Amino acid sequence: MIKSFFLVFRIAGLLITACVGLKVPNVCVAEDTQIKFTDMTAQARLEFSHDDGSDGRHFIVEYVSGGLSLFDYDNDGDVDIYFLNGAPAADQQRRARPNMLFRNDGNWQFTNVTKEAGVGDLGHGLGVTIGDYDNDGHQDIYVNNFGPNRLYRNNANGTFRDVTEIAGVANGNRVGAGTSFLDIDQDGDLDLYVANYLEFSYDKTVDRTSQGYAVYASPLDYKPDPDTLYRNNGDGTFTDVSDESGVGAHRGYGMGLVCADYDGDGDVDVIVGNDVGANFVFQNDGKGKFKEVGLLTGFAYDRTGSIQGTMGVDCADFDNDGYFDLHVTSYQNELATLYRNVNGVFMEDVTNVSGAGLGTNREVTWGNGLVDFDNDGDQDIFIACGHLYPNVEKFDDQTSYKAENLVFENRGKGRFVNVTDQAGSGMKVKLSSRGAGFDDLDNDGDIDVVVLNSRAVPTLLRNDSAASSWIELQLVGDRANRFGVGARIEILADGKRQFAEARSGRGYQSHYGSTIHFGLGNATSVDEIKVLWPGGNETRLSQLPVNQRTIIQEKD
């Protein structure tokens, strides 16, 4: 009955799409692109190689490690990098490798500051988010592990303090996933959403084979786990409100998530991608109570009514209509899927008609981002790829463990083109990727890429796309939380209106984009900027110069 209702709802969604004029594009023609990436990994000389903790026994928690975060930990104006590592089972003799923090020294040079910063957690790292939970102007780190999680408070002097027990956010001995800071009740401080993957322990692992070869078990071999929601008490501690908020009533195989006001009603909702299960949309009533409406919005399943192995989730307005759309990655033989937000009511799967899925079904797809790489004023798509079976070529000649990542250029009018082969030498890197992050690492006004690769060194890609105008916005909240997480930004330049939100935690179990970036094409000035802050305050600015970073402060 539910499935039939869903398919009827999908048909209605297709009619809605036809009414708003989305055309079916030609997606088969290879085209040149202005998007170009150069591999800077060797020059950066990062002393990091990811360890997933594997020892040949194929524990399911191995392949889901892990995410990364891009943020300015020392407030010096450039973006630093924090990588997660997995950890071996407790009965192994080898020592776990720590998570690592790298300070950006400029000119694509980075220094390992993990030890002095005090953030070298040795747990099995899965997800990570960044947020200023105590509103002191310095961003803090939350790591979602298999096992106890970690909250690191930024001491504002280049060091962090582990305050997990004080804050009450260890989250037990669970299998972590994506995580996000958000203000669920618009009281001015950041609450914390923690996605959980499944119920697992090393002594209850399930052994699986494929054509005689040992492989990882399916998530369906284990019970799904409900997510956790912590309310910020405003005194450095949090209270678990999972049950009273409504979040705890729903079990799912949580992986990536993003928090966004998808329905445009002024409060933040939570969108969770579930592996081998219906995706969740937790609709906020404005007071921190949530109703799960994934089926009603059309996001629970793809356009055929099928469940997917959803991995990463990102959210942005790819068609500049004022409503935030969704992109998710998935498993082999499933398309990475693009959902168009129709008037804040319905998420229409436009993967095929837009061309955004072309070439994504061969690989397992993980980290993702809706990002304006060529600064033309609309969002392109980056997808990190790589199989979870290191031995997959022995029994499947249709895919490979290591894979090239993918990039799709937004050509406007709902049309995307797979330009991976034309997007520079940086797209030729072939590894098994997981988390990905997108930010301006060299402060030149375009968005670069960092990818965490399983069992390998990371990938750093410099954006060498053709020069266009841009503006970057740094929000400073007053009544709202200090970094303006949850704020809605509207910008008008050269007759083109764009929309964005400030977010904490997104993609595949990662964090990026604390500074809000807009590509402006040929614009020579910004006509208007409007910021709607959590809590209702509004800030307006006009006639700003382009090609600069602008601080916007809330005036209460």
Side-chain angles (χ1 to χ4, degrees), residues 67 78 87 184 269 286 321 372 398 405 430 432 455 508 534 556:
D78 50 31
I184 62 173
D269 312 297
D321 67 349
D372 185 0
Q398 299 301 306
N405 299 322
K430 193 172 184 179
S432 187
R455 307 185 183 186
Y508 181 68
D556 194 10

Side-chain angles (χ1 to χ4, degrees), residues 68-130:
L68 63 91
S69 64
L70 304 180
F71 74 116
D72 185 2
Y73 87 95
D74 52 2
N75 283 358
D76 67 349
D78 50 31
V79 175
D80 310 297
I81 308 174
Y82 186 62
F83 292 112
L84 299 191
N85 253 321
D91 62 355
Q92 290 298 293
Q93 298 299 314
R94 66 186 179 92
R95 179 177 171 82
R97 298 179 187 176
N99 300 338
M100 290 190 179
L101 176 64
F102 291 89
R103 185 185 66 224
N104 188 339
D105 297 326
N107 196 30
W108 293 92
Q109 297 295 303
F110 294 83
T111 298
N112 185 347
V113 294
T114 308
K115 186 174 181 180
E116 49 264 52
V119 292
D121 183 38
L122 293 173
H124 188 83
L126 299 167
V128 60
T129 192
I130 303 298

Side-chain angles (χ1 to χ4, degrees), residues 184-216:
I184 62 173
D185 46 12
Q186 300 188 30
D187 64 351
D189 52 31
L190 290 177
D191 311 295
L192 179 62
Y193 192 100
V194 183
N196 300 303
Y197 189 37
L198 44 72
E199 296 182 6
F200 172 82
S201 61
Y202 286 120
D203 61 342
K204 295 181 179 179
T205 191
V206 175
D207 295 324
R208 292 290 181 196
T209 62
S210 180
Q211 299 183 35
Y213 294 94
V215 297
Y216 289 105

